[in-house]
Amino acid sequence: MSRVESKSGGQGNVEERTVVKTFKAVTRKEGAGFTIHRPIGDSEMSTATTDPFLMLDELGPVTYGKGEFEGAPWHPHRGIDTVMYLKEGQGDHQDSTGNKGSLYAGDCQWMTAGSGIIHDEGRNHPGGKLHGFQMWINLPKKHKWIDPAYRTIRSKEKPHYTNKDGSVQANIIAGTVGDVKAKIQPVVPIQYIEFMLEANASYTHNIPKEMETCIVYVYEGEGTFTSKEVKAERTSTLLFSEDGGAVSFTAGDKGLKFMLLAGKKLKEPVAWHGPFVMNTQEEIMECIRDYQNGKLVRAKPKELLAKSWK
């Protein structure tokens, strides 16, 4: 295992993780027919490899006319957290118990589906550029039946890190960069961070050793990762080794922007059918029966901190 020294305000001389797999994200249709790039949640990596993360989708960037984007019409969830990070654009959301709201550029909504929720998201985009990310996190068995809840973090509230010379910036949805900590800390330790580097800038980001899973998805620019200088560009997905504590990276001449996901593995059985993620097939069948019989939603979701958050 090699050690790496930060060149630009990172955590310094620490053990370095290595890249064990690289590939390009798959492109497919979702929701009402919109195109997404999916680095996590397809056949390239198993759920055991990506644990506790189930899915990461990049929507766009695409320019739509007014009324062209129909979003993701009414659909259920149980057993997971979903995180919508809207970089550009606007969209409305609502759930089956009457909660409503809107997301604007830079906003993030963290929703705990828990015991069950039915919602409608992404509607009423006014036209123009739309770009965002949706991520699913598995809930531990003991938290799959908690009451649903959600929290919206507005753009101006989102913790932001900048290094000394301003060449490295990060939006922190979960986890910590430097001495800047996210507003939401799930019970399952994770990091969900957007890094943005100017041309030729370098940084070393430390990841706690308990977070065995570490995945990077590049959405803009190009650069290299680790002291081995593994190259990455738009839609490149990198899986890192489970040992070690840091990921180092350097931007190319056009800069580098990417999402970093790191988390502690749950190491629990995963039974997954569409929007339902439980531990056994019997529980999946219960989800389907509950949905068909109008019994999926057992508690009204609230705009507050869920029991699955610290």
Side-chain angles (χ1 to χ4, degrees), residues 38 44 60 72 98 153 164-165 172 174 190 192 232 242 253 263 267 297 301 306:
R38 179 167 293 172
E44 284 285 353
I153 303 172
K164 291 181 180 179
D165 65 8
I172 308 163
I190 72 162
Y192 185 34
E242 295 184 8
D253 292 340
K267 299 179 181 178
V297 180

Side-chain angles (χ1 to χ4, degrees), residues 28-282:
R28 60 186 296 174
K29 299 285 188 180
E30 282 293 317
F34 54 85
T35 300
I36 57 94
H37 304 287
R38 179 167 293 172
I40 300 174
D42 209 77
S43 59
E44 284 285 353
M45 296 186 288
S46 68
T47 54
T49 299
T50 64
D51 182 17
F53 306 105
L54 296 163
M55 189 183 78
L56 178 66
D57 284 351
E58 180 190 18
L59 169 62
V62 177
T63 299
Y64 290 96
K66 184 177 181 180
E68 285 185 348
F69 182 73
E70 297 183 18
W74 290 102
H75 59 281
H77 287 295
R78 178 179 282 173
I80 61 174
D81 278 3
T82 70
V83 184
M84 181 65 202
Y85 175 35
L86 190 62
K87 285 190 59 60
E88 297 180 86
Q90 177 183 331
D92 296 340
H93 64 89
Q94 57 184 325
D95 66 48
S96 54
T97 64
N99 291 314
K100 296 181 179 180
S102 299
L103 293 181
Y104 304 93
D107 290 350
C108 177
Q109 185 186 73
W110 194 298
M111 185 185 80
T112 292
S115 61
I117 192 171
I118 303 173
H119 73 155
D120 175 48
E121 57 184 334
R123 296 295 187 98
N124 301 321
H125 175 57
K129 195 172 184 179
L130 187 62
H131 188 204
F133 296 88
Q134 182 165 98
M135 188 253 291
W136 291 9
I137 311 168
N138 199 9
L139 285 175
K141 180 180 178 64
K142 64 181 179 180
H143 289 296
K144 285 187 179 293
W145 294 97
I146 63 175
D147 291 348
Y150 58 91
R151 180 177 178 184
T152 300
I153 303 172
R154 298 299 178 189
S155 178
K156 63 182 180 181
E157 301 171 333
K158 191 163 65 264
H160 185 84
Y161 169 85
T162 303
N163 71 341
K164 291 181 180 179
D165 65 8
S167 63
V168 178
Q169 300 186 55
N171 288 318
I172 308 163
I173 299 171
T176 303
V177 179
D179 58 356
V180 183
K181 188 175 182 179
K183 286 184 173 292
I184 289 179
Q185 299 296 329
V187 168
V188 179
I190 72 162
Q191 294 188 348
Y192 185 34
I193 301 163
E194 176 188 24
F195 278 100
M196 300 156 287
L197 281 70
E198 294 181 357
N200 304 310
S202 296
Y203 192 77
T204 297
H205 173 64
N206 191 46
I207 299 169
K209 289 188 177 182
E210 66 173 340
M211 298 185 187
E212 305 103 320
T213 298
C214 180
I215 301 167
V216 158
Y217 173 68
V218 177
Y219 71 84
E220 186 176 316
E222 60 184 8
T224 59
F225 289 80
T226 79
S227 58
K228 301 294 185 181
E229 298 186 347
V230 178
K231 294 181 179 180
E233 58 185 5
R234 166 105 178 108
T235 75
S236 290
T237 308
L238 294 81
L239 173 67
F240 289 82
S241 59
E242 295 184 8
D243 57 350
V247 171
S248 60
F249 37 91
T250 299
D253 292 340
K254 296 181 180 180
L256 175 67
K257 298 181 180 180
F258 63 91
M259 306 301 292
L260 181 144
L261 293 77
K264 183 177 180 179
K265 291 183 181 295
L266 300 179
K267 299 179 181 178
E268 296 180 351
V270 175
W272 185 353
H273 180 79
F276 306 129
V277 184
M278 307 300 288
N279 297 109
T280 68
Q281 286 302 318
E282 290 77 11

Side-chain angles (χ1 to χ4, degrees), residues 276-294:
F276 306 129
V277 184
M278 307 300 288
N279 297 109
T280 68
Q281 286 302 318
E282 290 77 11
E283 290 172 329
I284 291 294
M285 294 307 298
E286 181 181 3
C287 292
I288 295 171
R289 288 193 301 270
D290 284 351
Y291 183 52
Q292 291 174 340
N293 295 328

